[in-house]
Amino acid sequence: MAENRSALIVAVSEYQDAGLRQLVAPAQDAEALARVLGDPAIGGFAVKTLLNQPSYQVNREIEAFFANRVKNDLLLFYFSGHGLKDEDRTSCTLPRPTPTAIIFGFYCGFGGLAAQIDE
């Protein structure tokens, strides 16, 4: 059994980039998932939800989420929002309000996220 059940849910529905449409589902998805995961009879997770937070805040929260964990911790990271692919077809999540012109520095191919997990 996991010593610690923690979930970080990141949902982005509002974008400042005119090329990206605003989304309805991410906030609803995040709320529903947080409710299920946080229910002691179902998931029993300690849940933190970030809704429409700037990319620097999302980065900070991801780093803190994966920091100082032990082998038996059960961690769940969930992202709901836009994603793009760069010229190499690498997937990138899109936090706000990062313009798409500079987005590829944020978790392209989830490499940044994978590095956090590996640490």
Side-chain angles (χ1 to χ4, degrees):
M1 184 89 174
E3 291 179 21
N4 181 30
R5 293 173 160 251
S6 298
L8 178 61
I9 300 171
V10 177
V12 183
S13 59
E14 300 171 357
Y15 291 90
Q16 293 177 349
D17 190 314
L20 298 171
R21 64 181 170 81
Q22 303 306 302
L23 300 173
V24 177
Q28 297 168 354
D29 292 348
E31 181 182 320
L33 184 59
R35 193 170 39 254
V36 170
L37 291 174
D39 185 330
I42 301 173
F45 281 79
V47 180
K48 181 163 194 171
T49 303
L50 303 176
L51 178 59
N52 293 320
Q53 295 299 309
S55 57
Y56 72 87
Q57 183 65 34
V58 173
N59 282 334
R60 249 190 260 159
E61 294 293 341
I62 290 172
E63 288 176 20
F65 180 70
F66 288 107
N68 302 314
R69 300 300 183 154
V70 297
K71 185 178 181 177
N72 290 333
D73 286 349
L74 179 59
L75 305 177
L76 185 143
F77 174 79
Y78 178 84
F79 175 82
S80 182
H82 278 300
L84 295 177
K85 292 188 181 274
D86 66 8
E87 304 82 38
D88 296 325
R89 310 291 296 159
T90 301
S91 299
C92 300
T93 61
L94 294 181
R96 69 180 285 272
T98 310
T100 55
I102 60 170
I103 190 57
F104 297 105
F106 182 83
Y107 294 124
C108 279
F110 296 98
L113 182 58
Q116 289 295 322
I117 293 169
D118 287 343
E119 287 180 15

